[in-house]
Amino acid sequence: MEVISIILVTVAAFFILHYLNTWMNNKNTNFPPGPRILPLIGNLHSVLFKGLHQTLLELSKTYGSVFSIQMGMKKMVVLAGYDAVKDALVNHAEEFEERARVPIFEKMDKGMGLSFSHGENWKIMRRFTISTLRDFGMGKTSLEEKIAEECSHLIQRVQSFKSMPFDNSRHICSAVANIIVSILLGNRMEYEDPHFKRLLDLIYENIKIMGQRMVLLYNVYPVLGLLPGSHRKFQKNIEELRSFIECIFLKHLRELDINDQRGFIDAFLVRQNMEKSYPQSYFHNDNLTGLIRSLINAGTDTTSASLRWCLLMMIKYPHYQEKVQDEITKVIGLAQPTYSHRLQMPFTNAVIHETQRISNIVPMSLPHETTRDVNFRGYNLPKGTHIIPLLTSVLHDKKQFKTPEVFDPNNFLDSEEQFMTNDAFMAFSAGRRVCVGEKLARMELFIFFTSLLQKFLFCLPPGVSEVDLTPAVGFTRSPIPHKMCAIPRIQ
């Protein structure tokens, strides 16, 4: 009898919650349409089986460029296609500039730092970050020299394999990470440094964890945080990373010379010291920790993944690799590649852009949130509405690209084979939340890519006949582990 009572109470609670949820959602009669929802789980069942961005792509074919989806009890609005995403993030930038509150990221940063910060804190940290990155070379020749130096270390590492098969992931990640590390600290780190290796391990383990179903379930039902699972490993890694970062900036604080700032951390500490008498100052240690973590994550993962995809595409399409190398020989010769060379190398520039487009590293961008009630494209979106800009739908928009579903550098070349920009190239997102390191990433990609192809011919290992373009499981779309051969070019 007791068991029956528990079952009846559970069923009753289930339907009461479903009724309340439906009533709350129906209060807004002009909300974007979406698929039918199930009690308590909404559309979660579809996402768990097919994956989130693939599910949203399919739904956009039925519901159009602005539609809704429900994850558990929370409604979200999805923007699909170039026109809708641009309209929101660019034309209505102020209304869509806030970062959505996602449980795992809120627990990680608590609204501090940059990537997942909110309101005035985000605005101040963003302004400081952009100006400080410029001060330390972003977009300038001095930073190109750092990238060129790192290229030489990476090339030496690749040469050490003597044309034998190797997995490039660790080496490329180390080289790319060293650029942002040198900006933060004022010096690079050795690839075999155990602290550096552990830092990269923590970053990439968490990126992998964020793509797992348990994290999705935790974000939908935060109460699951009480249970064991990968979400708890994620938090443990964050705590270790926080301790690592705190040790770094405490060391910098002890050695700080106001008149000789070595890098980004020193600049923050100087500003912190200037505002120490202001109780409401945003320049405190929590923001510094969040900023460093944001910059290391963003400055390592997406760029290194893009570079690895570039090399895979050159192996997949050897005729394109040959054409890139012909252009390198013609324009650069044996000199050190510089970012300005891209202006004379339309095909190479197109290959890099096309790789970023087709590899679709961050398919859903980072989620946004409306800052106030807004009528958008005929729909009423209340303040605090969770917004998903579906970047994969922009990068594959048939109205914007000649051949959106295949790898084709001609998507960025005009009829005279000159490089052609495209506003729908939103690999770095768009609007006020666009990636602050976009200029740095573009510079790194071009110089690393051309430097490697200047020195090596990349191909599959003996006995391997197919290039596997399956992305690894993770928050971003990186290549799965693979081996390749780098054959020194005869020049």
Side-chain angles (χ1 to χ4, degrees):
M1 196 69 183
E2 184 178 346
V3 173
I4 295 175
S5 297
I6 292 173
I7 293 174
L8 289 174
V9 169
T10 302
V11 171
F14 180 88
F15 281 102
I16 289 170
L17 285 171
H18 179 57
Y19 170 79
L20 290 173
N21 183 45
T22 303
W23 177 74
M24 289 295 294
N25 286 324
N26 287 339
K27 285 177 69 177
N28 185 351
T29 56
N30 199 27
F31 203 70
R36 185 177 180 181
I37 62 173
L38 295 180
L40 299 182
I41 67 170
N43 305 116
L44 184 60
H45 58 296
S46 300
V47 171
L48 288 175
F49 285 112
K50 298 180 182 178
L52 185 52
H53 90 268
Q54 288 294 342
T55 300
L56 299 184
L57 269 179
E58 290 181 16
L59 290 174
S60 69
K61 296 174 184 177
T62 302
Y63 296 100
S65 60
V66 183
F67 63 95
S68 62
I69 186 171
Q70 185 165 317
M71 303 294 284
M73 307 285 281
K74 187 176 182 62
K75 282 276 191 182
M76 302 176 180
V77 170
V78 182
L79 309 176
Y82 169 69
D83 291 337
V85 172
K86 180 190 175 185
D87 197 9
L89 302 190
V90 179
N91 299 342
H92 293 81
E94 186 176 339
E95 293 95 327
F96 287 85
E97 73 179 12
E98 183 60 280
R99 178 67 72 221
R101 271 80 171 168
V102 179
I104 199 162
F105 298 132
E106 288 296 296
K107 190 169 185 180
M108 177 178 74
D109 280 335
K110 299 177 176 60
M112 299 293 111
L114 183 62
S115 299
F116 299 98
S117 60
H118 310 291
E120 194 64 21
N121 186 87
W122 163 69
K123 293 177 182 178
I124 291 174
M125 289 300 103
R126 182 177 176 84
R127 283 197 298 268
F128 173 80
T129 299
I130 292 173
S131 64
T132 306
L133 288 177
R134 286 173 182 161
D135 290 341
F136 286 98
M138 189 169 71
K140 299 178 182 178
T141 305
S142 58
L143 187 54
E144 284 197 52
E145 293 171 356
K146 287 185 179 180
I147 299 172
E149 178 191 354
E150 200 58 49
C151 279
S152 67
H153 290 285
L154 178 59
I155 288 169
Q156 288 175 17
R157 182 56 59 93
V158 174
Q159 285 173 334
S160 71
F161 292 100
K162 299 180 179 179
S163 303
M164 298 296 291
F166 72 103
D167 183 343
N168 66 24
S169 56
R170 168 66 74 171
H171 315 295
I172 287 178
C173 292
S174 297
V176 171
N178 248 336
I179 304 303
I180 192 63
V181 164
S182 67
I183 292 173
L184 290 170
L185 304 180
N187 60 270
R188 66 182 297 277
M189 300 179 76
E190 294 297 330
Y191 295 168
E192 298 305 320
D193 183 323
H195 298 293
F196 189 43
K197 292 171 73 173
R198 182 56 182 161
L199 172 66
L200 295 180
D201 287 342
L202 290 171
I203 291 171
Y204 284 99
E205 185 173 17
N206 270 3
I207 288 169
K208 182 178 179 180
I209 288 173
M210 283 191 287
Q212 296 177 3
R213 288 188 176 93
M214 189 60 201
V215 171
L216 174 62
L217 288 170
Y218 169 75
N219 284 331
V220 175
Y221 306 109
V223 69
L224 294 178
L226 299 173
L227 301 177
S230 54
H231 59 294
R232 300 190 75 167
K233 175 60 176 174
F234 177 92
Q235 193 58 40
K236 182 180 178 182
N237 288 347
I238 288 298
E239 292 305 320
E240 184 178 345
L241 187 56
R242 180 179 287 114
S243 297
F244 178 86
I245 292 171
E246 287 175 352
C247 287
I248 289 175
F249 70 69
L250 285 174
K251 180 181 178 182
H252 271 246
L253 183 59
R254 290 193 299 269
E255 302 171 351
L256 183 62
D257 182 347
I258 294 176
N259 299 315
D260 184 21
Q261 297 173 31
R262 294 158 292 180
F264 185 96
I265 294 176
D266 280 7
F268 189 99
L269 293 173
V270 168
R271 183 69 175 271
Q272 185 182 59
N273 190 56
M274 290 170 58
E275 297 193 8
K276 63 183 179 181
S277 60
Y278 303 150
Q280 302 302 318
S281 174
Y282 290 94
F283 290 86
H284 48 70
N285 288 353
D286 287 340
N287 259 332
L288 177 55
T289 303
L291 274 178
I292 295 171
R293 187 166 55 242
S294 294
L295 291 171
I296 291 176
N297 284 338
T300 300
D301 176 48
T302 54
T303 304
S304 62
S306 297
L307 183 54
R308 292 175 63 211
W309 280 120
C310 281
L311 297 181
L312 272 183
M313 291 302 175
M314 294 300 91
I315 297 174
K316 176 76 172 178
Y317 304 102
H319 57 293
Y320 288 150
Q321 181 172 191
E322 182 180 358
K323 194 168 180 179
V324 167
Q325 290 174 328
D326 287 344
E327 199 169 58
I328 290 172
T329 300
K330 177 183 176 182
V331 176
I332 303 175
L334 300 177
Q336 168 61 47
T338 65
Y339 191 48
S340 61
H341 280 132
R342 79 192 187 284
L343 302 175
Q344 302 167 263
M345 302 173 68
F347 186 76
T348 301
N349 203 9
V351 163
I352 294 172
H353 279 73
E354 179 65 359
T355 300
Q356 289 182 274
R357 187 193 70 80
I358 203 74
S359 60
N360 190 22
I361 302 279
V362 190
M364 296 179 295
S365 184
L366 295 180
H368 288 239
E369 187 176 286
T370 50
T371 57
R372 56 175 176 262
D373 294 351
V374 57
N375 185 284
F376 181 72
R377 298 197 152 205
Y379 298 110
N380 293 330
L381 308 183
K383 177 183 178 180
T385 300
H386 187 117
I387 304 293
I388 300 177
L390 193 57
L391 292 189
T392 187
S393 67
V394 179
L395 297 173
H396 291 80
D397 194 322
K398 295 178 181 179
K399 297 178 182 178
Q400 303 299 323
F401 297 99
K402 304 170 189 174
T403 51
E405 300 305 322
V406 297
F407 180 81
D408 183 2
N410 287 306
N411 281 312
F412 292 93
L413 295 170
D414 62 20
S415 58
E416 297 180 354
E417 296 193 344
Q418 293 303 304
F419 181 76
M420 177 178 61
T421 58
N422 189 323
D423 290 341
F425 179 73
M426 290 187 178
F428 299 96
S429 193
R432 296 186 180 181
R433 288 272 182 173
V434 69
C435 175
V436 297
E438 178 178 352
K439 290 181 180 178
L440 172 61
R442 287 177 180 271
M443 186 182 290
E444 288 179 279
L445 270 177
F446 183 83
I447 296 176
F448 274 118
F449 181 62
T450 52
S451 295
L452 288 169
L453 265 71
Q454 183 187 50
K455 301 293 185 182
F456 305 102
L457 174 70
F458 291 91
C459 59
L460 289 172
V464 180
S465 58
E466 292 293 332
V467 177
D468 191 346
L469 299 180
T470 305
V473 173
F475 182 69
T476 53
R477 287 167 48 90
S478 300
I480 58 172
H482 58 272
K483 290 191 174 182
M484 60 176 58
C485 295
I487 314 299
R489 293 181 65 206
I490 299 173
Q491 299 181 24

